[in-house]
């Protein structure tokens, strides 16, 4: 048993939690099943892994570039608060789970395995379950397993290790399979049939806001109003035409956003905190910080383009030989390579506005739990929501829904983290599904006990069934023959 445990720990530490290698191995395995030559298999592995590393450089740069603002706002206003961020959430579980529940963090790794097996089994029986998506975003799996481990233990603290892990694995595996499956149609429509879906922290948000954006668009048309155009369809006149260029638009908007906050923090603070070098020009520090945002965003999009085609092509081997009709669920950042790049910037800005207003409200209301914004939710959640909302509802949807999401992330996280005790350990995952959907799951399981497990499981199982019943003619076509799917949808066939 110890040998198996060590083997699994090695796989988790070196493959599952290293998404570049995880994606690379999926590509390698897929190309082997497609009977590609050895050098094509090797090239696919390298391109997929390197592409993901490029994506990580871009996303890591965005996080580090934003750090002076988050740290500065916390220090400047003397806020001692919980940070909403996946890594802070994982650290909170690591620090507190043994003290609060008498369990070890090592069990989280076992939970990842059990939930992943459940996900694969649910897709293997897709004719019955109507589930088609495999959650391949390994580092996100560990982050979510950490938070789910705490939330479900909070509901059932007396259960033994085996029983609690099986319950957790069932609920989390269902969430992975159902949540990523919900993003298939929006992702296919965004990418014109690229063959992947999103497996991240805002899967329910993507589907809910995409549907709301589509309804907003239909409602405007029904009233005879000029529909809100998608950002990529808007051609700005005169001097405003410079905003048609993504790099220019991002830089100018970031100069305004970053510049305002950095001016509030002040040169003295930034120098003292060693974000700025002594004697460095404050003006050019603001310009460089703003331009770096555009640089890292461009790097991220390059990484997406490098590995996505390899993943989707190779996954045909897995879906044809092992799991017919299966679709890979990937990082939300992959969506930034499609639609309007400006939607990413707008989503970030509107989400940040929503989060900062919500944090201000918590301070004014003297909330027992204060929240500090983490970059991962404020950027990756809200930029992703904006990309999908823009595709369905245009500019108006891209402005409104990330702002609403920002409010939800702060208020929802403050309520759930304070209630279950994670706030005392300094962090909570904080992204949309875990600030809105999982708090509802937790309330149901806490107060309905074992019946709550059944209720949550049944609701999750019903979601793909209802989606299938609504779109019987096109449900499986969406992934199996996208061109035919588009044609039938044009004809009004669902």
């Amino acid at each position: 048993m110890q040998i198996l445990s060590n083997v699994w720990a090695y796989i988790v530490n070196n493959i599952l939690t290293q998404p570049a290698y995880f994606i690379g191995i999926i590509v390698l395995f897929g190309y082997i099943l497609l009977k590609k030559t050895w050098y094509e298999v090797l090239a696919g592995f390298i391109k997929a892994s390197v592409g993901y590393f490029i994506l990580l450089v871009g996303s890591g740069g965005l996080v580090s570039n934003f750090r002076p603002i988050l740290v500065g706002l916390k220090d400047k206003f003397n806020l001692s608060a919980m940070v909403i961020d996946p890594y802070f959430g994982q650290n909170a579980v690591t620090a507190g789970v043994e003290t609060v529940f008498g369990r070890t963090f090592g069990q989280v790794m076992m939970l990842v395995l059990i939930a992943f097996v459940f996900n694969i089994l649910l897709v293997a029986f897709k004719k019955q379950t109507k589930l088609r998506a495999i959650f391949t975003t390994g580092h996100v799996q560990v982050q979510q397993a950490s938070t789910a481990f705490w939330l479900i233990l909070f509901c059932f603290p007396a259960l033994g290790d085996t029983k609690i892990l099986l319950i957790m694995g069932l609920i989390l595996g269902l969430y992975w399979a159902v949540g990523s499956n919900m993003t298939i149609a929006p992702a296919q429509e965004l990418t014109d049939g690229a063959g992947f879906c999103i497996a991240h922290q805002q899967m329910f948000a993507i589907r809910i806001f995409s549907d709301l954006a589509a309804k907003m668009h239909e409602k405007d048309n029904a009233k005879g109003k000029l529909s809100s155009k998608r950002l990529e369809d808007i051609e700005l006149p005169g001097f405003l035409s410079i905003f048609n260029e993504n790099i220019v638009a991002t830089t100018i908007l970031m100069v305004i956003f970053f510049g305002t906050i950095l001016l509030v923090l002040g040169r003295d603070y930034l120098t003292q905190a060693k974000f700025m070098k002594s004697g460095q020009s404050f003006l050019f520090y603001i310009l460089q910080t703003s331009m770096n945002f555009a640089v890292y965003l461009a790097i991220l999009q390059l990484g997406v383009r490098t590995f996505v085609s390899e993943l989707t092509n190779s996954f045909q081997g897995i879906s044809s030989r092992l799991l017919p009709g299966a679709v890979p669920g990937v990082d939300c950042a992959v969506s930034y390579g499609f639609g309007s790049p400006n939607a990413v910037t707008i989503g970030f800005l509107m989400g940040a506005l929503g989060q900062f207003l919500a944090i201000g409200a918590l301070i004014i209301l003297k909330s027992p739990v204060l929240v500090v914004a983490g970059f991962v939710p404020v950027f990756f959640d809200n930029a992703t929501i904006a990309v999908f909302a823009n595709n369905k509802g245009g500019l108006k949807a891209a402005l409104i829904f990330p702002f609403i999401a920002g409010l939800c992330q702060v208020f929802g996280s403050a309520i759930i983290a304070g209630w279950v005790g994670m706030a005392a350990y300094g962090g909570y995952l904080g992204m949309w599904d875990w600030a809105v959907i999982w708090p509802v799951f937790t309330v149901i399981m806490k107060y309905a006990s074992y019946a709550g497990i059944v209720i949550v499981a049944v609701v999750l199982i019903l979601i793909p069934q209802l989606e299938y019943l609504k779109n019987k003619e096109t449900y499986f076509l969406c992934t199996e023959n996208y061109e035919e799917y588009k044609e039938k949808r044009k004809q009004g066939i669902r």
Side-chain angles (χ1 to χ4, degrees), residues 20-38 40-49 310-311 313-315 317-318:
Y21 295 130
F22 191 24
I23 294 295
I25 288 172
I26 288 173
V27 168
L28 182 146
F29 192 52
Y31 278 156
I32 289 173
L33 290 174
L34 287 172
K35 298 182 179 179
K36 296 279 188 179
T37 61
W38 70 267
E40 288 175 312
V41 172
L42 177 62
F45 170 80
I46 291 172
K47 286 171 69 176
S49 298
E310 297 298 325
L311 177 64
N313 290 337
S314 68
F315 210 81
I318 294 171

Side-chain angles (χ1 to χ4, degrees), residues 88 103 198 213 257 296 458:
F88 278 85
R103 311 294 175 107
I198 303 301
F257 178 75
Y296 290 124
V458 168

Side-chain angles (χ1 to χ4, degrees), residues 227-249:
S227 296
S228 183
K229 286 187 177 181
R230 293 185 300 176
L231 283 161
E232 57 268 38
D233 299 327
I234 298 173
E235 289 292 332
L236 296 170
F239 80 93
L240 290 175
S241 63
I242 63 172
F243 287 95
N244 291 325
E245 292 285 340
N246 174 52
I247 290 177
V248 176

Side-chain angles (χ1 to χ4, degrees), residues 6 29 80 95 111 115 133 138 157 163 211 233 242 270 277 305 310 325 365 389 394 408 429 475 484 493:
N6 290 340
F29 192 52
S80 179
L111 171 57
K163 289 181 179 178
D211 288 350
D233 299 327
I242 63 172
L270 292 166
K277 294 178 182 178
R305 290 192 295 271
E310 297 298 325
L365 296 172
C408 293
L429 200 157
Y475 185 78
E484 188 177 345
I493 300 171

Side-chain angles (χ1 to χ4, degrees), residues 30-31 141 168 178 186 204 220-221 227-228 243 266 268-269 287 303 339 370 381 406 411 416 421 483:
Y31 278 156
Q141 287 178 324
M168 290 175 178
V178 173
F204 277 70
D220 284 351
N221 282 347
S227 296
S228 183
F243 287 95
D268 292 342
Y269 166 78
L287 285 175
L370 286 180
D381 254 10
F411 290 135
I416 186 65
E483 290 304 315

Side-chain angles (χ1 to χ4, degrees), residues 8 10-31 44-53 56 112-113 115-117 119-120 133-142 176 199 307 310-312 314-315 318 323 327-331:
W8 176 242
Y10 180 85
I11 292 171
V12 169
N13 292 331
N14 294 284
I15 299 175
L16 283 184
T17 55
Q18 303 296 325
Y21 295 130
F22 191 24
I23 294 295
I25 288 172
I26 288 173
V27 168
L28 182 146
F29 192 52
Y31 278 156
F45 170 80
I46 291 172
K47 286 171 69 176
S49 298
V50 170
Y52 210 101
F53 277 125
L56 292 177
V112 172
L113 172 61
F116 193 49
V117 169
N119 184 177
I120 292 171
I134 300 291
F135 200 113
T136 66
T137 322
H139 63 298
V140 174
Q141 287 178 324
V142 176
W176 287 347
F307 86 84
E310 297 298 325
L311 177 64
T312 52
S314 68
F315 210 81
I318 294 171
L323 292 168
V327 179
V330 296
D331 196 298

Side-chain angles (χ1 to χ4, degrees), residues 347-366:
F348 163 61
L349 292 173
M350 296 307 296
L353 178 61
Q355 281 205 12
F356 291 162
L357 287 175
I359 291 168
L362 291 180
I363 295 170
I364 292 168
L365 296 172
K366 298 182 179 178

